Amino acid sequence: MTETTAGVISETIGEIPFRTSGSANTPVVWWRTEWQLRAEADVLARELVGEVDQVVNFAPTDHLFGRLTGELLPDRLAVDVLNVGHEPTALPGSAMRKRTLFACLPSSWVVLRRSLSQLRELPASMALHGTGPTVDATDEVVSALADTQFRAVELFGSTETGGIAHRRIPPHRGSRGPWTLLSDVEFAECVSEQERYPEGEWLSVRSPRLARRSDMTDPPAEWQLSDVVTRKGERSFDFGGRGTDLVKINGLRCELSDIADALREAVPGTDAVCVPVHDSVRGEHYEIFYRCERTLSAGQILQAIRSVLEDVVPPRAVHRVCRIPKTSTGKVPVTQLYANIEPCADMGGSCG
């Protein structure tokens, strides 16, 4: 853990690179100007955070959310920041004395749940959640602190766009309602995927904070994400899910079709499919199902995938199946997939 003082920004150059982590051999680089970073920190400070005395940051500072909450936002608020890392076992005592902003990943809520007695003693503190869906521990913490001044807010965004929208996390597992766009973000028109998504459309936005991809001369005027939404008025939307097989595990991107393709390429004669699953700690995760004449250990599978793809988050579990069923349209029925697990070969568990 490291503690720094406001005003310490690691780069002072005109543009700062952020890489989309995940399954590509060469991660995509997105360039963001220091002005864009400071503009987003200003929006978050004014619209979501308010006055705090310190920031406790769980997010890696080499990713956009962590850079904002671990450096730029504390600088904007003129407060100290304690970067505790993304998987601490407990909060340090020095984090429990002031009005605190907790910058949370999905796994951070398990740590906060262990610290409920200390959190109850804090003056008006808050959690800002980013980089993935909330988990069961989120609702447990917010509900347990419902009679205090603690509050929690979700931030919706991406490396390409920065923060897009926000919503309050209510106590007692109440309805969270729609997402509301941040003040410097607007909807952009896009082609609605009516055949595939009859009740929604791809989320497309305009913002002065859109990043410039490394093969672009300038930032785009607007950007379309792989998220399906239903607009609720001029500045709000309901999130309907992702339109691709992307999952984010503590902010790390995993393109599931790329991972399955990599296993097929690395082990000839193998068929494979990756299935997204809910995870009580990470929010999102995935499991691998494979068909092969020989049994492969979880470690062998991970090694094979990494021989093709450099940055791969290990699957939560690996299963050998006697076949991978498919519908007439080529989709994999998940229920039938689980029914085809070979009991003697089901390895379960996480690929360390």
Side-chain angles (χ1 to χ4, degrees):
M1 293 180 286
T2 60
E3 188 165 8
T4 59
T5 302
V8 178
I9 306 299
S10 58
E11 278 103 346
T12 57
I13 60 176
E15 287 188 308
I16 299 169
F18 293 91
R19 292 168 175 80
T20 50
S21 53
S23 42
N25 271 318
T26 304
V28 178
V29 177
W30 298 88
W31 292 92
R32 194 171 292 276
T33 67
E34 187 174 341
W35 178 89
Q36 288 177 316
L37 291 172
R38 292 188 180 279
E40 182 159 355
D42 185 64
V43 169
L44 297 180
R46 288 186 291 104
E47 299 182 22
L48 304 184
V49 177
E51 293 186 5
V52 295
D53 300 317
Q54 68 174 359
V55 176
V56 173
N57 177 50
F58 291 94
T61 55
D62 56 342
H63 293 276
L64 177 58
F65 181 68
R67 179 65 64 89
L68 287 165
T69 55
E71 294 187 11
L72 276 297
L73 189 55
D75 186 73
R76 164 62 175 77
L77 296 169
V79 300
D80 290 343
V81 56
L82 186 65
N83 287 302
V84 297
H86 68 284
E87 287 190 343
T89 56
L91 290 176
S94 59
M96 311 307 293
R97 297 192 299 264
K98 308 173 182 178
R99 291 179 301 179
T100 303
L101 167 65
F102 296 96
C104 293
L105 306 174
S107 61
S108 310
W109 293 94
V110 176
V111 180
L112 295 186
R113 185 173 59 188
R114 297 192 192 109
S115 307
L116 283 175
S117 59
Q118 296 99 313
L119 291 174
R120 293 188 66 86
E121 302 301 319
L122 287 179
S125 295
M126 73 167 291
L128 181 63
H129 176 91
T131 74
T134 58
V135 294
D136 291 344
T138 308
D139 292 316
E140 294 173 17
V141 170
V142 177
S143 295
L145 300 175
D147 60 341
T148 73
Q149 296 183 63
F150 181 86
R151 61 190 177 93
V153 176
E154 289 182 87
L155 184 64
F156 189 108
S158 70
T159 304
E160 301 92 322
T161 62
I164 294 174
H166 64 93
R167 66 178 180 180
R168 184 81 175 263
I169 302 175
H172 310 304
R173 301 178 187 268
S175 173
R176 298 189 186 179
W179 295 87
T180 300
L181 297 178
L182 293 169
S183 61
D184 61 350
V185 179
E186 297 179 346
F187 286 124
E189 296 303 320
C190 66
V191 178
S192 180
E193 296 281 328
Q194 290 301 323
E195 289 187 6
R196 189 174 178 187
Y197 305 109
E199 297 182 357
E201 62 184 56
W202 297 101
L203 176 59
S204 187
V205 296
R206 285 189 296 269
S207 167
R209 295 183 282 99
L210 299 181
R212 178 181 69 83
R213 197 171 56 204
S214 57
D215 60 349
M216 298 175 175
T217 303
D218 299 298
E222 58 190 49
W223 191 256
Q224 184 169 296
L225 294 90
S226 58
D227 299 294
V228 178
V229 302
T230 302
R231 295 195 198 185
K232 311 292 286 187
E234 294 185 358
R235 298 194 54 77
S236 298
F237 63 87
D238 286 332
F239 174 63
R242 293 202 176 98
T244 67
D245 61 358
L246 169 73
V247 297
K248 291 184 179 180
I249 305 172
N250 259 3
L252 302 178
R253 299 180 179 208
C254 295
E255 294 282 357
L256 300 187
S257 59
D258 289 351
I259 295 173
D261 288 344
L263 181 57
R264 295 189 197 99
E265 179 182 340
V267 186
T270 297
D271 194 9
V273 64
C274 297
V275 175
V277 294
H278 173 74
D279 187 89
S280 60
V281 176
R282 310 295 182 187
E284 294 178 288
H285 222 301
Y286 74 99
E287 298 181 358
I288 291 180
F289 295 76
Y290 78 98
R291 181 191 58 76
C292 186
E293 291 184 357
R294 60 192 177 96
T295 299
L296 302 172
S297 70
Q300 288 173 320
I301 286 179
L302 182 60
Q303 183 179 9
I305 294 170
R306 285 180 170 168
S307 71
V308 178
L309 300 175
E310 292 181 358
D311 289 323
V312 176
V313 177
R316 190 179 70 170
V318 172
H319 309 284
R320 184 183 179 191
V321 293
C322 56
R323 70 185 185 96
I324 295 180
K326 294 182 180 179
T327 67
S328 59
T329 59
K331 295 182 179 180
V332 177
V334 175
T335 301
Q336 293 182 35
L337 188 63
Y338 277 95
N340 279 275
I341 292 175
E342 296 184 355
C344 62
D346 178 14
M347 293 173 288
S350 174
C351 297

